[in-house]
Amino acid sequence: TIGTHSGHFHCDEALAVSLLKRTNEFQGANLVRTRDATKLAECDIVVDVGGVYDPATHRYDHHQRGFTETFDDKHDTKLSSAGLVYKHFGKEVVMNLLEKTEIDGDVEMLYEKTYHGFVEALDANDNGISAYPSNINPLYKESPTSLYHRVAKKNPTWNNPMSDAEIDARFIEASDMAGAELEDYVLGLKNNWLPARSLVVEALDRAHEINASGRVIALERACPWKEHLLDLEKERGLTGDKSILYVLYPESSPEGNWRIQCVPLRAEGFENRKSLPEAWRGFRDDELSRISGVDGCIFIHAGGFIGGNKTRDGACEMAKLALEL
């Protein structure tokens, strides 16, 4: 039996309950929503109520004075019940979602990635931790369609009261929704994020085959590469004059057009480590080939962060010249 509090609910305990139901021990468990201490004491596990954090007795509350638990020493965000349950049961949940029978490197990686990319924001929201300093005014309002907001909307409004049974039913809906979104997130990492990482690993391993400097890589397929490249560079100590400056990849198939793209200073930005030559920017086709001295050029963006060539060899030559200019 899983126990949590009755009445108004939040996203953290909705996700916590759904996570538990994705473990071997609590799959199919009954749910009790109450604030009656006697009834909670009879539950096998209790989340978000009770004032106790004790994994040995399966008590996972975070509201008590003095609670400071975080996910690990790399995170400062205090955990909510979602983060607490994920910290202790998340590896098993991820392992089951990946259809594995033991915790391996992929499970460990996606366990940490899912906390950082999915669960931590819910912990922060529930604990009243802003994403930015209080002396900075945000440039726009947060979207009311986030998971936290959509779970909140499952509660009765101030002018539309519901019975306890109706609220309990709404909680189940909210919990199922939160769990389904986490599952979708993890499976997206499995099916899209991990394969992209493998392509970047392979490209880094062959960097010196593309250019003697080792500062250009070529992907066999177009994929989301920026986050992976920046992470892998840190893992491999590729900093300073060893960092990657340009990434080459085919637009659709290796036999078609190729792109050359600058590596940004950060994954979300357009500031580049080394932009494509200023003299090439804004030109296209034959004129660009004449200016650059490289056959088959298609374009260089006026911003200098991306360009194209009709062949892989042409893209490699553009990268070679761009390194020297």
Side-chain angles (χ1 to χ4, degrees):
T1 300
I2 302 170
T4 190
H5 63 81
S6 56
H8 189 95
F9 53 83
H10 296 106
C11 192
D12 68 316
E13 73 264 26
L15 179 59
V17 169
S18 184
L19 287 170
L20 289 173
K21 290 185 175 181
R22 285 168 166 77
T23 66
N24 297 333
E25 184 176 0
F26 295 103
Q27 184 179 21
N30 294 321
L31 175 66
V32 173
R33 298 187 73 239
T34 182
R35 292 189 181 274
D36 185 326
T38 302
K39 292 181 179 179
L40 289 172
E42 297 172 352
C43 295
D44 298 293
I45 188 167
V46 176
V47 300
D48 207 46
V49 68
V52 175
Y53 168 46
D54 182 15
T57 58
H58 278 339
R59 265 46 187 170
Y60 299 95
D61 196 11
H62 66 106
H63 296 100
Q64 58 273 24
R65 184 180 179 87
F67 178 87
T68 59
E69 191 78 8
T70 62
F71 184 66
D72 55 29
D73 58 7
K74 294 180 289 186
H75 293 83
D76 297 323
T77 304
K78 187 169 73 170
L79 300 178
S80 67
S81 62
L84 275 176
V85 169
Y86 187 79
K87 180 173 183 173
H88 291 279
F89 297 92
K91 286 184 184 179
E92 181 185 354
V93 172
V94 172
M95 180 185 72
N96 289 338
L97 290 176
L98 298 187
E99 297 181 337
K100 292 179 178 284
T101 57
E102 60 182 21
I103 295 173
D104 59 13
D106 286 352
V107 172
E108 293 278 4
M109 188 184 305
L110 298 199
Y111 167 68
E112 294 185 9
K113 173 72 173 174
T114 299
Y115 180 76
H116 183 72
F118 190 99
V119 181
E120 185 176 17
L122 304 180
D123 285 341
N125 198 304
D126 194 76
N127 283 306
I129 301 171
S130 297
Y132 47 85
S134 59
N135 62 341
I136 296 178
N137 291 321
L139 298 177
Y140 52 86
K141 289 186 177 293
E142 183 182 353
S143 170
T145 60
S146 68
L147 177 59
Y148 183 88
H149 285 94
R150 282 182 284 120
V151 167
K153 287 178 182 178
K154 292 288 185 180
N155 284 286
T157 59
W158 66 272
N159 55 353
N160 182 30
M162 295 181 182
S163 67
D164 290 344
E166 288 174 319
I167 298 174
D168 287 349
R170 287 291 193 96
F171 177 82
I172 295 297
E173 293 176 11
S175 182
D176 289 346
M177 177 174 67
E181 293 213 6
L182 180 131
E183 180 174 333
D184 185 65
Y185 183 86
V186 172
L187 293 180
L189 294 178
K190 171 191 174 183
N191 296 325
N192 304 303
W193 189 82
L194 274 180
R197 181 182 172 89
S198 296
L199 289 177
V200 179
V201 168
E202 293 170 5
L204 278 172
D205 290 342
R206 300 194 311 272
H208 285 87
E209 298 175 16
I210 304 302
N211 186 276
S213 69
R215 307 196 71 181
V216 181
I217 63 171
L219 301 169
E220 293 306 311
R221 296 178 60 185
C223 69
W225 54 266
K226 294 178 184 177
E227 178 187 3
H228 293 303
L229 177 59
L230 298 184
D231 286 345
L232 288 165
E233 283 181 323
K234 290 179 182 178
E235 291 179 16
R236 298 184 179 205
L238 300 177
T239 60
D241 60 3
K242 294 182 180 180
S243 63
I244 304 301
L245 297 180
Y246 302 118
V247 176
L248 316 179
Y249 55 88
E251 289 185 14
S252 54
S253 67
E255 296 77 24
N257 296 334
W258 277 69
R259 291 286 179 95
I260 173 174
Q261 189 166 351
C262 304
V263 177
L265 295 176
R266 53 191 179 88
E268 302 82 10
F270 287 100
E271 300 85 6
N272 307 312
R273 291 175 176 172
K274 183 177 175 59
S275 296
L276 294 169
E278 194 280 332
W280 298 0
R281 300 176 198 172
F283 292 100
R284 300 187 60 88
D285 305 324
D286 292 342
E287 187 175 15
L288 177 58
S289 290
R290 179 183 60 79
I291 294 171
S292 66
V294 179
D295 291 336
C297 287
I298 299 174
F299 79 101
I300 294 292
H301 192 282
F305 68 94
I306 194 169
N309 194 284
K310 294 179 181 178
T311 68
R312 176 186 176 124
D313 288 344
C316 287
E317 184 65 20
M318 291 173 76
K320 177 184 176 182
L321 292 174
L323 287 172
E324 299 170 353
L325 295 174

